[in-house]
Amino acid sequence: VVNGISADALGSIAKRLIRRLGDSSFSRLLDEDEERQAINTLKINEADLNALVQFSAYVFEEAAYQTQEPDSFEAHLNESLGVLPKHASVMRNVWESEATAYIGRLREKHLLGSKILSDTTWTTHLCVATSDDDPASTKGPPRSKSDKKNTQATSVFNLHMNNDSEPPLAIEFSHQELYAFFQKLQDIQHGIDSLSS
């Protein structure tokens, strides 16, 4: 799609998009009128326009997170993503002129809009008895020793955010839930590592 439109039109739409990326005052990157205008001007369908918008947003976000220099950004577009040299040059020019403002908006958004984890505490609980374990109870047969091994351990994490006026967020995990959670954290860490390498 990127290579199928004129380089000048790509530059215009890329500049409009990067100026709206990271700006919370826009609920959409293009409003309905702008979408109609772009479809008519570029002579593409709505699916192609969505693909173009998503592609542009992705490459600009990736460049911001990697703080790519304009030359490196252009080379990545051309060599890794198959963008034609003229189109990659136009995207490079947009990145060079708009990167500082865009990265600043991302930093501002992160600092003002996000809760930042400042500390964690945790405890482990072991449930070793229930009301059914009452030896004075005459209901039902006594429990065997193997039943006593069916204790359940849980861990409670208290996540303290950067805003001290809020109480910590408490999350309770069983052993299986905690294991699954740590597996997901490892997947996230691998994703972050791949972006930073």
Side-chain angles (χ1 to χ4, degrees), residues 52-115:
L52 176 63
V53 168
Q54 293 302 316
F55 172 79
S56 299
Y58 171 76
V59 296
F60 288 137
E61 287 170 0
E62 183 179 39
Y65 287 116
Q66 294 178 6
T67 57
Q68 280 185 320
E69 293 296 321
D71 291 337
S72 171
F73 178 69
E74 182 178 6
H76 174 68
L77 289 173
N78 191 308
E79 297 164 11
S80 301
L81 301 177
V83 176
L84 293 174
K86 187 173 182 180
H87 291 68
S89 176
V90 166
M91 294 287 281
R92 175 209 186 280
N93 293 340
V94 170
W95 178 246
E96 185 174 35
S97 67
E98 301 292 332
T100 302
Y102 174 49
I103 291 170
R105 283 191 307 274
L106 289 177
R107 285 188 180 133
E108 182 92 2
K109 181 179 176 182
H110 175 71
L111 292 175
L112 297 178
S114 299
K115 294 183 178 190

Side-chain angles (χ1 to χ4, degrees), residues 19 26 33 64 67 79 82 94 99 125 132 141 149 162 173 189:
R19 287 179 176 170
F26 293 101
D33 291 336
T67 57
E79 297 164 11
V94 170
H125 301 277
D132 294 340
K149 292 181 183 175
N162 57 338
F173 294 103
Q189 184 64 52

Side-chain angles (χ1 to χ4, degrees), residues 158-195:
N158 291 303
L159 307 177
H160 304 268
M161 302 301 165
N162 57 338
N163 186 351
D164 290 336
S165 65
E166 294 181 27
L169 175 64
I171 305 172
E172 184 174 346
F173 294 103
S174 69
H175 179 266
Q176 293 84 7
E177 292 166 337
L178 185 59
Y179 183 79
F181 179 69
F182 282 135
Q183 290 296 104
K184 286 180 184 174
L185 285 177
Q186 277 189 322
D187 293 342
I188 293 168
Q189 184 64 52
H190 289 303
I192 290 171
D193 291 344
S194 70
L195 282 175

